[in-house]
Amino acid sequence: MGGGLLDRELSRARMDGLIVDRDHAEYDKYRRIWNGLADRRPTAIVRARTVEDVRKTVRVAADQGTLLAVRSGGHSLPGLSTCDDGIVLDLSLINYVTVDAAAGVVEVGGGALLGDLDKAGAHAGLVTPAGVVSHTGVAGLTLGGGMGWLSRRFGLTIDNLLGAEVVTADGRLIWASADSEPDLFWGLRGGGGNFGVVTRFKFRMHPLGPIVVGSWTYSANDYEAVLRGFQGLSSAAPRELTTSFELMSNELAVTACWSGAQENAAAIVSPFGNLASPVTGSFGNTAYVDLQKRSDESDAWGQRHYSKGGFLDKIDDAAIRCIQSAVASSPNARSHIYVLQLGGTIGDVEEAATPYSGRAASYYWIANAIWDESSDDMRCIEWGRNSAKSLAAISMQGNYVNEQADFGKDVAFGAYGVEKYTRLARLKARYDPANLFRLNQNIEPMP
Ligand code: FAD
């Protein structure tokens, strides 16, 4: 459909929000997403203000057969929240967060960021566990699963989801929860953006006291000893502790986050600073909202990224060798392998209870290639792809749909496995038979 005609249809829908077309002065600002590699030119960006705007945009896209990308935080690694031609439905203006402290629940607009959620929770001494970078969108993260510093203690973000308001492909507004449209509610907890546009989430919250964070860097010479020690300590850790490491060509950074009783913090966290002789180190009380912003700058918008992850049950010698050999050939000092500890409460939920497919994993790895110049695209993508391939060979079945730089049926199928993929595909046929919502790790409708 031509840009003029599409513009006309959107204008006729009389939105409260803004329609940013190619002639708009801020078109370039609003067409960008987080990954600088995804440099696309949609026909129009609808900056929705209301649920009605969302419904109208979905109807126009469905009626006109237009490609529709849905964007909240804009962090899609493969760039699926934008498109060439077609419409981008941008929810970032619907970013309210309303905490009901007495009930221990929070309602979150479909375009809110983790920083909005964390900040509102902190005022009430409450938290909903999510990811580790504050400018990530609540919507995209939740729809894939949502893992972060508090998942071992309080579960994945989806394990705290009580309900979601969804605009479906036919423009209906549906509330999905355990009691209302339970099949759709199942699909939303890991099935990505396949089933509609979520305009509101309702989450459970948990009281969170002060947290203690230890961070150390170790030299390249100590990689093996540190990672062996890390495996031993982290695998015996209680649920209130979550650890991670980031291995670059010249440095290994280890972080341990303790959310349990303060008096136990030093005994549990400080051994992670004695895995060898650290080059730098810090240990102490940290506001959770500050921890959540620690990587905001290094993960700033606009850099070029190719990232792929997978699940491990342990950091054994094979994993250590694989990670070491990947970073030995990394294209620059920024590119790295990041590992986050999972397990704990995440594994209390039955594997079949949600589409998210990694309940048994103890660790999550991600190979992150990061660079700035388009002339480095091939070299950096190749490193990311090869590193991920070698780690995938020693990883568990299943994968995390939210952190896959590539997309296509094989990616979704590989992530969910045959049983869950089939269930998702039947659900897709019920809620989006024409596959309007296909810019995602797509589930093809199966009648
Ligand atoms: P967007 O690009 O806006 O959306 C991604 C996709 O989600 C869209 O293509 C669409 O299919 C769907 N979508 C978005 N909004 C809606 C909506 N309202 N309704 C329906 N579908 C929608 N994941 C973790 O679990 N833990 C982490 O700690 C973590 N850290 C990250 C840090 C960075 C820097 C980045 C880039 C990603 C991180 N991720 C993490 C992965 C993250 O969960 C995914 O990239 C997620 O898709 C981002 O959501 P978004 O709303 O920001 O992205």
Side-chain angles (χ1 to χ4, degrees):
M1 181 184 203
L5 194 53
L6 188 56
D7 268 351
R8 220 162 32 246
E9 288 300 319
L10 288 169
S11 305
R12 270 173 29 157
R14 306 180 81 82
M15 312 267 184
D16 288 319
L18 303 171
I19 298 168
V20 178
D21 63 16
R22 287 177 178 159
D23 299 327
H24 193 283
E26 295 193 296
Y27 175 74
D28 270 333
K29 174 175 164 190
Y30 290 123
R31 78 180 175 85
R32 294 197 193 291
I33 63 166
W34 173 83
N35 189 347
L37 206 54
D39 185 16
R40 317 244 160 85
R41 297 183 63 80
T43 303
I45 301 136
V46 176
R47 307 202 68 220
R49 277 193 201 284
T50 62
V51 173
E52 271 314 298
D53 286 351
V54 173
R55 299 179 75 182
K56 287 171 180 171
T57 308
V58 166
R59 282 203 198 101
V60 170
D63 290 350
Q64 306 300 328
T66 308
L67 197 57
L68 177 67
V70 181
R71 180 201 304 171
S72 289
H75 270 201
S76 169
L77 288 163
L80 292 167
S81 50
T82 183
C83 55
D84 279 323
D85 308 318
I87 302 173
V88 170
L89 173 53
D90 172 2
L91 278 95
S92 61
L93 297 174
I94 307 179
N95 62 351
Y96 62 85
V97 178
T98 311
V99 175
D100 180 342
V105 298
V106 59
E107 297 211 324
V108 183
L113 303 181
L114 301 194
D116 301 323
L117 173 60
D118 292 338
K119 198 166 134 200
H123 284 306
L126 296 170
V127 73
T128 294
V132 304
V133 174
S134 83
H135 46 75
T136 308
V138 171
L141 175 128
T142 302
L143 293 169
M147 54 176 80
W149 289 116
L150 300 174
S151 312
R152 281 171 49 76
R153 184 165 174 205
F154 297 131
L156 297 169
T157 311
I158 47 170
D159 301 333
N160 293 279
L161 183 65
L162 298 172
E165 181 184 75
V166 188
V167 175
T168 50
D170 53 8
R172 279 183 303 149
L173 190 63
I174 292 182
W175 179 251
S177 68
D179 304 321
S180 158
E181 310 271 350
D183 294 342
L184 176 59
F185 187 54
W186 179 83
L188 294 175
R189 287 174 292 161
N194 271 285
F195 303 106
V197 184
V198 178
T199 45
R200 176 164 51 107
F201 295 91
K202 184 174 180 182
F203 295 109
R204 188 181 302 120
M205 303 197 92
H206 305 266
L208 182 71
I211 57 165
V212 174
V213 178
S215 304
W216 294 272
T217 57
Y218 292 97
S219 115
N221 301 330
D222 295 324
Y223 285 170
E224 266 185 59
V226 172
L227 292 187
R228 285 215 182 93
F230 176 92
Q231 157 70 26
L233 285 177
S234 63
S235 60
R239 293 170 174 210
E240 295 93 334
L241 187 77
T242 296
T243 58
S244 75
F245 67 84
E246 187 169 309
L247 190 57
M248 288 154 281
S249 53
N250 55 357
E251 192 177 88
L252 170 58
V254 171
T255 303
C257 167
W258 173 250
S259 64
Q262 290 277 293
E263 60 271 24
N264 301 330
I268 290 178
V269 175
S270 52
F272 288 88
N274 296 322
L275 297 170
S277 186
V279 180
T280 62
S282 67
F283 170 88
N285 277 76
T286 306
Y288 176 68
V289 287
D290 291 338
L291 175 65
Q292 292 288 82
K293 289 185 199 150
R294 270 197 187 177
S295 307
D296 279 10
E297 255 180 60
S298 56
D299 282 321
W301 274 55
Q303 303 174 89
R304 301 168 95 79
H305 281 261
Y306 182 94
S307 310
K308 261 186 170 176
F311 295 119
L312 288 171
D313 60 351
K314 52 185 176 305
I315 312 290
D316 58 8
D317 285 355
I320 293 173
R321 269 197 307 276
C322 202
I323 293 170
Q324 239 184 323
S325 98
V327 293
S329 63
S330 73
N332 55 41
R334 271 188 288 168
S335 299
H336 60 264
I337 309 287
Y338 174 77
V339 172
L340 176 71
Q341 189 181 3
L342 301 177
T345 305
I346 300 170
D348 291 348
V349 176
E350 287 285 312
E351 181 63 54
T354 62
Y356 171 87
S357 300
R359 295 283 175 186
S362 301
Y363 300 93
Y364 176 73
W365 59 264
I366 182 161
N368 277 321
I370 311 173
W371 69 104
D372 294 316
E373 303 300 331
S374 56
S375 52
D376 288 330
D377 284 358
M378 267 176 58
R379 195 166 68 89
C380 292
I381 290 173
E382 198 181 330
W383 176 80
R385 199 166 268 154
N386 289 341
S387 304
K389 198 169 163 194
S390 59
L391 271 157
I394 57 160
S395 294
M396 301 167 76
Q397 292 277 313
N399 212 332
Y400 186 36
V401 279
N402 266 359
E403 297 195 323
Q404 304 301 324
D406 297 322
F407 58 96
K409 189 171 177 183
D410 52 332
V411 177
F413 202 76
Y416 297 117
V418 63
E419 230 167 277
K420 284 187 184 178
Y421 186 91
T422 307
R423 185 169 170 188
L424 286 164
R426 298 224 161 94
L427 199 61
K428 178 81 172 173
R430 267 172 65 194
Y431 288 96
D432 184 17
N435 207 359
L436 175 68
F437 301 110
R438 59 183 176 278
L439 289 179
N440 40 45
Q441 293 299 351
N442 196 227
I443 312 286
E444 287 176 16
M446 188 191 288

